[in-house]
Structure formats: C-alpha cells, structure tokens
Amino acid sequence: MALGALLLAALVPLGLDSLSRTAAARTLPDQAQIIDQKSFAVLETVPPPSEANATTTFLWPGVTEDSLTAKPFHIYDDEFYDIIGENPTLTLIAETESDPVFHEAVVWYPPTDEVFFVQNAGAPAAGTGLNKSSIIEKISLADAAAVANGTAPGNITVTTVPSNPQVINPNGGTNYKGNIIFAGEGQGDDVAPALFLMNPVEPYNTTVLVNNYFGRQFNALNDVGVNPRNKDIYFTDPTYGYVQDFRPVPGLPNQVYRFNATTGAVTTVADGFIMPNGLTFSPSGEHVYIADTGANMGFFGWNFSNPSTIYRFDVEEDGTFTNRMTFAYVTAGVPDGVHCDSNGNVYAGCGDGVHVWNPSATLIGKIYLGTTTANFQFAGDGRMVIAAETKLFYVTLAAKGVALE
C-alpha cells in the first residue's frame, strides 16, 4: 500500500505538469478568446426567467456584447483549438437591412463550388407570398474567398435560382446523388409539403420525390438528411407552417420519417417531439442528431419550458432509430440546423451563432455572431458558410466537412 501510494503521488504531478505544458503550447489565434466557465458558475445575482431566457443575451461579469463579437471564436475546451486551427477567420460577405434572405437549406455543390440557400418563409420581413418565401439563391465560394482575402470589396453577388417547377417554401436541404433535395413546407390548404429533387445547374429542373403519407398531407417538412449507410432519406415534419400562419391546422403528429427512394416506402421512425427540426447523421451513419425547437412556437410565442434540445439516436443496421438520449440543451435561442464534421463533432445554429460539441456532448466552443443563426454548412475542407437571416458569413477553420459521395 505504501509503495503504491508513493508511485501514485509521483505519477499525478507528472501528469498534471504534462497537461499544463500541452495547454501552454497552444497559441491563441487572433480572432479567438478563451471562455472561463468558472467565471460565471456562481453569480452575485441570478435574474428571473422574465429577464434571462432563450431570447436574451447572457453577459457575465467582465464581458460585453462588443467583447464577445470582437473575437468570435470562443474556446470553451482545448479541443476547440483543433476545430479552428491556427488562424480561423470570420468574414461578413453579404447582408440586407431587414429582409431575412439568408435563412436555411445551406448546401455546397462541389462541381461548381457554389453554396445554395433559401429565404425565410415565415418571418414578417419576408412575407409568405411565393415571390419571397420560395426563393432559392446561390453564391460562388471563389467570390466569398476573394472578399475574405481582401482582394474584392463589399458584398458578393447573390444569384436567384429559378427552380422549375418551383420549389414551394423550401426550408431544409442536402446533397443527394449529384442533386439537391429540398424539404418544402407547403402553402395553404392546397399545396402539400413535399421533398423536391433539384438539378443544381441550369435549367434547375425539379422533381417531387414524395408529398404525402398514405394520402395525408404532411404538416410542414423542415429538414432532410441522407444516411450514409443505407442511403435512405430521413426528414422532419413539425408544425411551423401552422404556427407561422401559412399552413392549415395539422393533420399528423410531429414526427420524423424515412423515405426509400427505390421502393417509395415512407415509414415513421421517431415521434415524441414538440417541434422536430434540424437533422444530421454522424459520419459513419451510426448515430442521428435531431433538434427539437419546441421552445419557439411561432405566433403562439415562446414557451421556455419546451425543448431547445438536440437528441441523439442510434441508427440500427435496418435503419430504425433506438436509444434516444438527450445530447445537448441550448440556452441561446434554439438549435436549428445541425451538422457534423468529419470527426463526428456536432455543430448547431443557435441564437447567438454556431455551437460546437464533441461526440461526448461537451460544449467545446462557439463561432459567436451575436445574432440568430438558422443554418450553415461546411464547404469541403476548412470552409463554412453561415446563414444568419440578414447576414451571410464565410468562415475558414481547420475542421473538415463530412465527405460527399
């Protein structure tokens, strides 16, 4: 016992010293700052829910909104150094005064090195008319890089994509066999929500993949992802069309579905959500992450006791979901778009920017914008585009997106 205790006493200081040297060897990038969570573990005054909730900005002693946005890469854990690399950059490449042009369905198309995205179908500034809410747009990443490098001034060109037939109220999007799938929310009583397959080059022709569940309209399709193992298409169906006043009273529960494009079969794979929203798979396809944004109930207002939560499921070999677990709860807004990098780290667009967790559900960092980020997407290795409603950002970092097939 005495010898063991002596050995342990000798080993522990060595281990701590080694960790200290490792941390000290890290060079803090110019645009990054370290967040000391101990600094706000105990506050002198903790305000009530009416003053501190999902719609407010948490400013702890010693920080301001300006200080948080001045260095936008926030390091909560040393693992985030590996995400951002030695010289991460965040560049505003386009903005509008109030119209939320840069909303959802951010998809990178490698052959032309362009990124597609869609406008907001529900915000009053956009309106719900199809001339505003069914607009697909794209940018050139070469143009984005030129602005980021300082070789081109001002906002980049945003090009409208004339889908044909028109994709109605697109919200989520993903790559699929050289094309793009958009999740359409539908419009009114007569235009049913649907999954649209669009050719990413002219003439941008579209095909409807599925628009009903055994003859019944979906509620308002929100996000879509393809499992890398079985290649089936999975999508979420909340009632945001209804609570944003452009869809009728729902006729189905808020559920997650699976579509087999070969057989045409549609099956329900998960329920129990208030508002199932963003969906993504781990690089291996063994896990799926689904955001529940039930705290935000559209024209019914906010219900802070509802989920603002990312759940993780295991994906079995047969494509079914098991072992639901709470992965993360978000306090800034709600977690909307969800994506993984090539190492399985999980990213979500939230009320103040993009939050990043490791696969063990530890919050390791944020790309802090100080404004709502509905969605974003990797564009291959070391590049990301973030859609923040009235602002569009281009990010360079060390992390890589999941390889596209």
Side-chain angles (χ1 to χ4, degrees):
M1 292 292 292
L3 179 59
L6 286 172
L7 288 173
L8 181 60
L11 287 172
V12 169
L14 286 174
L16 291 175
D17 185 59
S18 175
L19 289 173
S20 298
R21 286 197 303 269
T22 300
R26 300 277 195 173
T27 300
L28 187 65
D30 290 341
Q31 290 200 34
Q33 58 180 297
I34 296 171
I35 303 300
D36 178 12
Q37 297 182 76
K38 285 186 178 180
S39 67
F40 52 80
V42 178
L43 298 173
E44 183 175 344
T45 301
V46 182
S50 60
E51 298 177 21
N53 53 58
T55 67
T56 60
T57 301
F58 177 39
L59 298 174
W60 58 97
V63 304
T64 64
E65 289 192 39
D66 288 342
S67 73
L68 291 177
T69 55
K71 295 181 180 292
F73 296 92
H74 291 185
I75 300 170
Y76 281 74
D77 186 279
D78 280 354
E79 289 185 45
F80 201 53
Y81 283 101
D82 296 326
I83 300 291
I84 60 178
E86 296 180 356
N87 185 33
T89 64
L90 174 71
T91 306
L92 178 66
I93 57 174
E95 65 179 322
T96 62
E97 184 174 341
S98 62
D99 192 356
V101 172
F102 316 111
H103 179 53
E104 277 269 19
V106 188
V107 180
W108 174 50
Y109 182 58
T112 58
D113 203 23
E114 295 172 321
V115 167
F116 292 75
F117 50 87
V118 303
Q119 292 193 14
N120 192 326
T128 56
L130 299 186
N131 289 333
K132 296 292 287 184
S133 60
S134 288
I135 300 301
I136 300 171
E137 295 165 313
K138 68 176 183 176
I139 60 167
S140 162
L141 283 182
D143 291 347
V147 172
N149 295 334
T151 57
N155 290 354
I156 66 171
T157 300
V158 178
T159 302
T160 298
V161 175
S163 58
N164 184 30
Q166 186 179 31
V167 177
I168 305 300
N169 284 341
N171 191 80
T174 192
N175 301 85
Y176 184 69
K177 297 183 177 180
N179 295 293
I180 297 174
I181 297 177
F182 287 109
E185 295 185 278
Q187 179 76 26
D189 287 346
D190 299 327
V191 180
L195 291 181
F196 296 84
L197 186 70
M198 189 190 81
N199 178 4
V201 297
E202 291 184 308
Y204 304 110
N205 48 296
T206 64
T207 302
V208 175
L209 296 177
V210 61
N211 69 353
N212 74 95
Y213 186 61
F214 294 93
R216 296 165 68 177
Q217 288 189 4
F218 293 109
N219 296 328
L221 301 191
N222 190 279
D223 203 6
V224 57
V226 179
N227 184 278
R229 288 198 298 183
N230 62 27
K231 313 305 179 188
D232 281 354
I233 301 163
Y234 294 75
F235 55 95
T236 57
D237 186 38
T239 54
Y240 274 120
Y242 171 65
V243 303
Q244 292 174 339
D245 206 22
F246 63 90
R247 285 282 294 143
V249 174
L252 288 168
N254 290 340
Q255 300 181 133
V256 182
Y257 296 88
R258 173 188 183 187
F259 176 62
N260 184 309
T262 301
T263 66
V266 182
T267 54
T268 307
V269 289
D271 63 5
F273 299 92
I274 304 296
M275 287 288 188
N277 200 311
L279 175 151
T280 197
F281 291 94
S282 63
S284 66
E286 296 177 356
H287 302 294
V288 63
Y289 299 90
I290 302 172
D292 190 336
T293 54
N296 186 349
M297 296 297 292
F299 64 60
F300 291 112
W302 286 79
N303 183 337
F304 302 123
S305 63
N306 277 351
S308 177
T309 306
I310 300 171
Y311 297 96
R312 189 183 78 186
F313 296 79
D314 293 337
V315 183
E316 301 298 328
E317 290 287 347
D318 62 2
T320 56
F321 294 174
T322 59
N323 300 325
R324 172 179 172 140
M325 66 163 280
T326 299
F327 181 79
Y329 175 80
V330 169
T331 59
V334 291
D336 200 329
V338 185
H339 302 287
C340 286
D341 66 21
S342 60
N343 291 322
N345 297 299
V346 182
Y347 301 62
C350 302
D352 57 2
V354 177
H355 297 195
V356 186
W357 298 264
N358 67 14
S360 298
T362 297
L363 178 67
I364 59 175
K366 295 182 181 181
I367 304 174
Y368 189 88
L369 306 179
T371 188
T372 297
T373 301
N375 217 325
F376 62 97
Q377 186 55 274
F378 281 97
D381 296 351
R383 302 184 302 181
M384 178 186 288
V385 173
I386 301 176
E389 302 302 317
T390 59
K391 300 177 186 295
L392 190 68
F393 294 90
Y394 177 75
V395 179
T396 62
L397 70 176
K400 301 177 181 180
V402 177
L404 302 177
E405 297 185 6

